[in-house]
Amino acid sequence: MADNIKKIAVLTSGGDSPGMNAAIRSVVRTCAYFNTECIGIYRGYQGMIEGDFKVMNARSVNNIINRGGTILKSARSDEFRSQEGRKKAYERLKSEGIEAFVVIGGDGSFTGAMIFSEEFGFPVMGIPGTIDNDIYGTSFTLGYDTALNTVVEAIDKIRDTAISHNRLFFVEVMGRDAGHIALNTGVGAGAEEILIPEENLGLERLLESLERSRLSGKSSSIVVVAEGDKIGKSVFELKEYVEGNLPDYDVRVTVLGHIQRGGRPTCFDRVLASRMGVKAVESLLDGKSNYMVGFTEDKILLTPLDKAVKGKSEIDRELLRVSDIMTT
């Protein structure tokens, strides 16, 4: 390990996700293991600009591995988007003696870190934290597995009502630009149809599928809809369209919303966060910078931040094929 970095900061930025606290814990305790001081930055990049810092040690992160959200809080910062704002942040870091930082967040947070690093030659490392799983360079982002389990549990409960009342439920899940949550939970919960941004099913095909299900004897149906699906302007528009064309269906809508972003992280997310935090700190101490820590084929690997930001996560085509077969 290189011994030139004596103080590393950690912050969370963008939307919260289960596993962020576990990652904070890992960064702090890895720093302690290597006798490197760790500073927690509250409220993301805005806190960096305002100097909202706190010294953290191994005991500072007791009993947080099981908690959702982020103890460091998160906030979006318009000021950090400007060069003047980033210069203020840099001066704050230097005045505190901070020599590198780990940012836990999504592509917007990584873009900020990348620009900051390029402008000031400042070592940075990213850990992907977003339930959407829409970041290039990693098969899993922190919070994604927890969100999947939350959604499947919710759909299982909704199905009880659907069966009891012979209803069709449209269940909207998060995923403005990527359908990973919808696809995986749709397969896992046995949905009759899955609507995602990457595949335009089309209104006519949706109607044909639902009518086929009804004629085959299905008295209730679940359709999982990613919020970024392109078929209708909204899930409520879909409801109205189906009601207008298939009057035999009693249609309801459930929007799961931010319930998907909260809750205790699963064991998988806790272990992943622990592994990513160790890798982030070790990489900085090894002199590396401008990378994102990712998880691919059960290995923790580094991806350049510019590739993580510019690249596009791909939907699982094999799982799409499985979903087509399962919805027959």
Side-chain angles (χ1 to χ4, degrees), residues 239-280:
K239 170 186 181 293
E240 291 173 4
Y241 184 83
V242 170
E243 284 178 328
N245 288 272
L246 298 176
D248 290 331
Y249 271 112
D250 183 10
V251 189
R252 294 290 187 274
V253 169
T254 297
V255 178
L256 293 184
H258 286 78
I259 189 175
Q260 298 160 84
R261 290 222 312 230
R264 292 173 176 267
T266 59
C267 179
F268 181 89
D269 273 330
R270 300 182 198 193
V271 173
L272 182 61
S274 300
R275 294 175 69 181
M276 285 181 167
V278 170
K279 183 70 171 179

Side-chain angles (χ1 to χ4, degrees), residues 175-239:
R176 186 177 298 107
D177 302 308
H180 298 290
I181 293 177
L183 179 58
N184 280 267
T185 58
V187 172
E192 279 64 42
E193 282 297 345
I194 303 166
L195 308 182
I196 59 176
E198 294 86 348
E199 295 285 309
N200 192 339
L201 180 65
L203 287 170
E204 291 308 313
R205 187 184 151 189
L206 175 61
L207 291 179
E208 289 171 6
S209 173
L210 291 173
E211 181 64 5
R212 189 166 56 248
S213 294
R214 188 185 68 81
L215 294 174
S216 71
K218 286 187 178 179
S219 59
S220 64
S221 292
I222 300 287
V223 177
V224 179
V225 185
E227 61 182 329
D229 173 64
K230 304 298 192 295
I231 290 184
K233 291 180 182 177
S234 73
V235 69
F236 295 99
E237 185 183 79
L238 278 176
K239 170 186 181 293

